[in-house]
Amino acid sequence: MENKVFINDSYLPYLNDETRTQIFFGGSSSGKSFFLSQRTVLDVMNGRNYLIVRNVAKTLRNSVYNQIVKTIIDFGLRDEFEIGRSEMVITCKKNNKQILLAGLDDVEKLKSITPIQGVLTDVWLEEATECAYESYKQLTKRLRGRTEQKLAKRIILSFNPVVKEHWIYKEFFGRWIDGKNVYRGENLLIVKTTYVNNLFLTEDDVYALENEKDRYFYEVYTLG
């Protein structure tokens, strides 16, 4: 399987990035969640365990969970995974590494979540702007214990643009420079993308984004 064929060029530099905290934000249809789903599948096959969360559990099934299942199928890997329907647990058959999906509506329950083999290496907060700061801090505590193969542990946040009053901006964007697309510090990576970074959009998709009449929606979802 030629994995790179399916992955947007703009995201290829981050396919194996081991920075502790990774932020992917920007406009609508930028492909960030699509890329992170692809990376998750490949990572689990290479020995990583993922916990993926959103603020409300029921929103996961029709978003990230379905995208990951579609990615497994698109990669031709359906026979390599056991896909749980009720518990939203996806297990790689060859190494017992897992993708666990859960909601933040019961943070206490998250404290007991653990993969069947090894420890969590990655926590991904999809639509992270929905999450409270306290929930984020709880999730950082889930990244503990010795990993196999000395794998780096990572916490990943993905979202559309955030207002400056939000805790995410205050926590991470102190050195961010408007007009730039990437910031890299010792333990922090921030990547901004928009629809122009998504090679797989149709002409109709691009037209709709570029011709958005509402100024707010244009600035947030088109320009990121």
Side-chain angles (χ1 to χ4, degrees), residues 89-110:
V89 175
I90 299 172
T91 306
C92 181
K93 295 178 182 178
K94 75 172 185 178
N95 59 16
N96 277 333
K97 295 302 185 287
Q98 292 184 304
I99 304 167
L100 311 171
L101 297 97
L104 291 173
D105 28 0
D106 189 354
V107 178
E108 291 300 313
K109 186 177 180 180
L110 290 179

Side-chain angles (χ1 to χ4, degrees), residues 69-215:
V69 173
K70 287 170 62 178
T71 297
I72 290 170
I73 294 170
D74 289 344
F75 279 166
L77 298 172
R78 180 62 186 87
D79 292 339
E80 303 294 327
F81 287 87
E82 180 180 337
I83 300 174
R85 297 295 177 182
S86 59
E87 296 297 324
M88 288 193 294
V89 175
I90 299 172
T91 306
C92 181
K93 295 178 182 178
K94 75 172 185 178
N95 59 16
N96 277 333
K97 295 302 185 287
Q98 292 184 304
I99 304 167
L100 311 171
L101 297 97
L104 291 173
D105 28 0
D106 189 354
V107 178
E108 291 300 313
K109 186 177 180 180
L110 290 179
K111 293 180 181 179
S112 62
I113 287 183
T114 186
I116 58 174
Q117 182 172 310
V119 299
L120 289 173
T121 58
D122 295 82
V123 174
W124 171 15
L125 288 77
E126 168 70 327
E127 301 294 351
T129 50
E130 300 172 353
C131 304
Y133 178 71
E134 293 74 15
S135 298
Y136 159 75
K137 294 299 288 186
Q138 285 280 3
L139 289 166
T140 62
K141 305 300 182 187
R142 300 297 299 122
L143 293 172
R144 61 177 184 264
R146 183 175 299 175
T147 64
E148 301 172 38
Q149 307 166 17
K150 297 182 178 180
L151 295 171
K153 294 185 179 177
R154 305 178 298 191
I155 186 157
I156 304 146
L157 293 81
S158 57
F159 51 88
N160 291 123
V162 62
V163 295
K164 292 184 177 181
E165 291 75 22
H166 198 284
W167 68 263
I168 290 178
Y169 187 89
K170 295 176 181 178
E171 185 83 1
F172 300 113
F173 282 77
R175 296 186 178 181
W176 176 259
I177 300 174
D178 289 335
K180 299 289 186 179
N181 294 320
V182 178
Y183 168 81
R184 185 182 289 279
E186 182 178 356
N187 294 303
L188 176 62
L189 169 70
I190 303 177
V191 179
K192 175 187 174 182
T193 51
T194 66
Y195 73 98
V196 299
N197 300 108
N198 190 348
L199 301 177
F200 304 115
L201 291 180
T202 66
E203 291 183 5
D204 288 342
D205 295 331
V206 174
Y207 180 86
L209 286 162
E210 291 182 342
N211 291 275
E212 172 59 59
K213 303 302 182 185
D214 185 285
R215 187 64 188 176

